Amino acid sequence: MTWRISHRARAIKPSPTISVAEKAMNLKRQGVNVLNFGVGEPDFSTPEYIKNAGHQAITDNFTRYTATKGIPELREAICEKLLNENGLTYNPEDILVSPGAKASIFQILMTICDPRDEVLIPSPYWVSYTSQVEMADAFPVLMPTRESRDIHSFKIKPEQLEDTIQNCSNPKALILNSPNNPTGTVYRREQLEGIAEVCLKHNLLIISDEIYEKLIYDGREHISIASLSPEMQEQTVVINGVSKAYSMTGWRLGYAAGPKEIMTRAARIQSHLSSSVCSIAQKAAVAALTQDDGSVENMRIEFDKRRKYMVEGLNKIRNITCYMPKGAFYCMPNVSFYLFNNKKGINSTVELCEYLLDKYHLALVPGQAFGALVYVRFSYAASMENITEGLKRFEEGLLSLNK
Ligand code: PMP
Ligand code: GLU
């Protein structure tokens, strides 16, 4: 029996980040010594104080459905966090806790997009943005950015945004992600001010994905675009979560904060999907946001060491250049030299990553997945030992292309 699959499902490709992770896990299960730099998730354990709160929730039988938007205690803790760390004042009613920031973004898109609306996305972009926009029956409009040696590396500029809007029919929203996955770029205040001005002029909603806010280096500061002015806050939905900062990817908890009307309607959508987030994860997230045993900063310091080590190692490989990321835990070496000069007939990053996985047991994500055609993405959420070995295999793999 063949089923007539919906146009929506037919248009959706599997998430390349998740596919690489699954491939690497399968090989590992078969006993292959795979080095996985594919999926972006911290390799640390969830801090003890957070796990304890989860255990306590189970002991206390806190195991039932909760309010759709999230338990009041958690939404209050989120409001406190947004006020103290981002200078943003929200009412707990305007917070929606969802099963991961991924779900938060999708529900906001489902709330605001009509068929054929356009959602603007700087490219390279995180893989799920474009697919989620398509699932909401809207069009992703990519705004290419370039690597450069100055402060504009991998960033959109106000003039580019203005031009893109002029060429759109129904521009609805801009998805901004700083610190950025996959490039590691971090927008500065004055750069965000320029973007905010254009968005205000055109009533473009900003979905500001700030999930990597705590993973930021070289003394850079995370600025939420919503905090630039009350008008900007009214035009922004802030997305954040506990996955990356607290090493809680498997607990599945993210949140959105934004204008009342959007949040109320997004909560209605969630009430028909997941209802609430796992009650135990919510209690653990309260602990994550209200206590601190220093582990978040320790993880950041460790990521910083690995970042420098990995990027310096990559730049030592012949004909490879790699931008030093300022945030998140990814780096993207430019592999164009090898793509265009090899005897193996490899001419795309997908083919290159397949080759490196098959022959060198090195799992990377092809830049093509992010709209970055001549790059591959490494996640440096890996041990120093694995990074050292990974760099060695990467170099050997690249040099073998011409043997
Ligand atoms: N945004 C970005 C840019 C990400 O890299 C991720 C990682 N999966 C997410 C959102 C979603 O995170 P989660 O669903 O685990 O909260
Ligand atoms: N955000 C991470 C990544 O880009 C995790 C995987 C995913 O959710 O796509 O690898």
Side-chain angles (χ1 to χ4, degrees), residues 379-398:
S379 154
Y380 49 87
S383 67
M384 279 294 201
E385 196 188 343
N386 281 0
I387 294 177
T388 306
E389 175 62 20
L391 285 168
K392 202 169 123 232
R393 290 192 198 177
F394 186 54
E395 180 166 25
E396 279 171 17
L398 291 175

Side-chain angles (χ1 to χ4, degrees), residues 15 17-18 38-40 102 126-128 181 212 244 330 377:
S15 159
T17 45
I18 301 292
V39 74
K102 210 176 228 182
W126 177 47
V127 286
S128 292
N181 174 9
Y212 293 100
K244 314 291 167 166
Y330 308 99
R377 190 191 78 173

Side-chain angles (χ1 to χ4, degrees), residues 47-58:
E48 284 304 313
Y49 72 97
I50 300 176
K51 288 197 288 195
N52 290 342
H55 287 144
Q56 194 59 48
I58 297 174

